[in-house]
Amino acid sequence: MASLISLRLGLRASSVHNVFRYSLAKLILQHASSFHTGYLFRVKGIPINMPALSPTMTEGTIVKWLKKEGDQITPGDALCDIQTDKAVMAMETEEEGTLAKIILGDDSKDVKIGVLIGLMVAEGEDWKTVEMPTGGAAAPAPVKPSAAAAASTPKPAASTPKPAAVAAPVPKPTAEKSDKMGPAVRGLLHQYGDVLKHVQDNKLTPIPSAVAPPTIPKAAPAAAQKVKTKAPVAPSMTAQFIDIPVSNIRGIIAKRLLESKMTIPHAYAATDCIIDGIMTMRTELKREKRSVSMNAFVVKGVAMALQRVPAVNVQWANEAAKLIPEIDISIAVATETGLITPIVKGAVYLSLDQIGDTVKDLAIKARAGKLKPHEFQGGSFSGNLTISNLGMFGISQFTAIINPPQCAILAVGGGRETFNEYLQVRNKMTVNLSYDARAIDEDSAAQFLQAFRDFMENPNLMMTGVPDSLVIYIEENIPYEFFINSVEIK
């Protein structure tokens, strides 16, 4: 009998154990499916962060994604167009794989550098199962103080008796209040204490005035009421305005120019150039079917002037002036999103035709937003000197703001007809040099403008170079008219 009972107990314990194991396995499977199996089987993504596409870029705008989720990516492919502080540039990748997730879509503005904008997976992995990065838990909504106080403060019981009202003592005038009272009021308070109570207890009435009040005409109240009820003049609703969104480039330009005016001691110098020789040369070149713009002569003249006066070919960095061996000239180009300054590299070694073609090509790319980083970033930042030419808009002269870390910018006006001392018609062009007084002194600025004027007034020197004897005359500040006829131009 005892053995039979033990056998039954053993079978029952075994069945209970099997049921427990089955239930435990079912529970694990349920949790694995509901909890999400991606924790075990999802693919870890390769992060795509907002890059720094220029040395001064701190944030950018994702203009448009050029790839879609699921597209294959190879090294060198452009993922998206990003608007930086200088231009709209394509973001290229050096990875190979599949674009799995776009986190920040088109027209995402003010994205800081390093922020995650997308995910990709390695080649051969399932991009649909990419693991999304987990962010921090959302902070709970703050509870209103009034609601919290109402919830935590217990309501008083109905049977709790209310304390009996205690008559407030009559305040006596203090020294602080007495200073704000007149002598009559102060005397009444000292004599009667509570004046209002004294009036009520003794049933005092006001003494009628001996002087009759003035009579008011009947029409006056109606007129007064008309004045009171007069409807206010409604504001004019015709004035309308439109908010113009500021692009990322314009915002950076405004910030940088404000910083430039506040931190750089701007100094200014101007000179007039007689450009009859350039106009004659341009006419001759057109006969040879060679079209060279006035801007090409200006760029060439600036480059050769920098070569002759290297003290102006500097940049300001680390609280010191840094002499630049290369001569790269930045050209200010107006675009729909703002100004951009593509660079003519090695301008001193280029011919007028090459400079003209380079400037034209850079301007087209700038307005189309197709500039490459090396086309508007030179050396550590940009060109050594910027040229801003508004002559084609009929501007005779103006001054420009220095673009740091450059130390100078040349503002070029348009040509205009004037008369010389012999009443002869001459074409004159005015240029204004803005320079950093910390890095460039007045003598260097004057020598640079003198050299630039000499090259502009004698354009043949741009075609052939400057003979060694000319350098001596420049150093001795002897005008060209003294010897220019004796110089043989080949």
Side-chain angles (χ1 to χ4, degrees), residues 303-311 327 447 451 455 465-468 471 474:
M304 298 187 72
L306 287 176
Q307 187 180 42
R308 293 304 170 190
V309 189
I327 299 179
Q447 292 175 11
F455 285 118
V466 183
D468 295 336
V471 179
I474 292 178

Side-chain angles (χ1 to χ4, degrees), residues 299-321:
V299 173
K300 184 67 173 180
V302 168
M304 298 187 72
L306 287 176
Q307 187 180 42
R308 293 304 170 190
V309 189
V312 181
N313 194 33
V314 293
Q315 291 183 0
W316 185 264
N318 300 324
E319 298 300 323

Side-chain angles (χ1 to χ4, degrees), residues 274-282 297 456-460:
I274 303 299
I275 56 174
D276 291 334
I278 292 180
M279 298 183 69
T280 302
M281 179 175 288
R282 292 185 64 194
F297 284 93
M456 294 297 290
E457 294 183 350
N458 300 275
N460 288 328

Side-chain angles (χ1 to χ4, degrees), residues 197-232:
K197 185 175 183 299
H198 177 78
V199 171
Q200 292 175 349
D201 293 344
N202 294 277
K203 298 180 180 180
L204 302 177
T205 58
I207 300 173
S209 177
V211 181
T215 58
I216 303 175
K218 294 182 179 180
Q225 188 168 358
K226 285 182 180 180
V227 173
K228 290 182 181 178
T229 58
K230 187 177 180 181

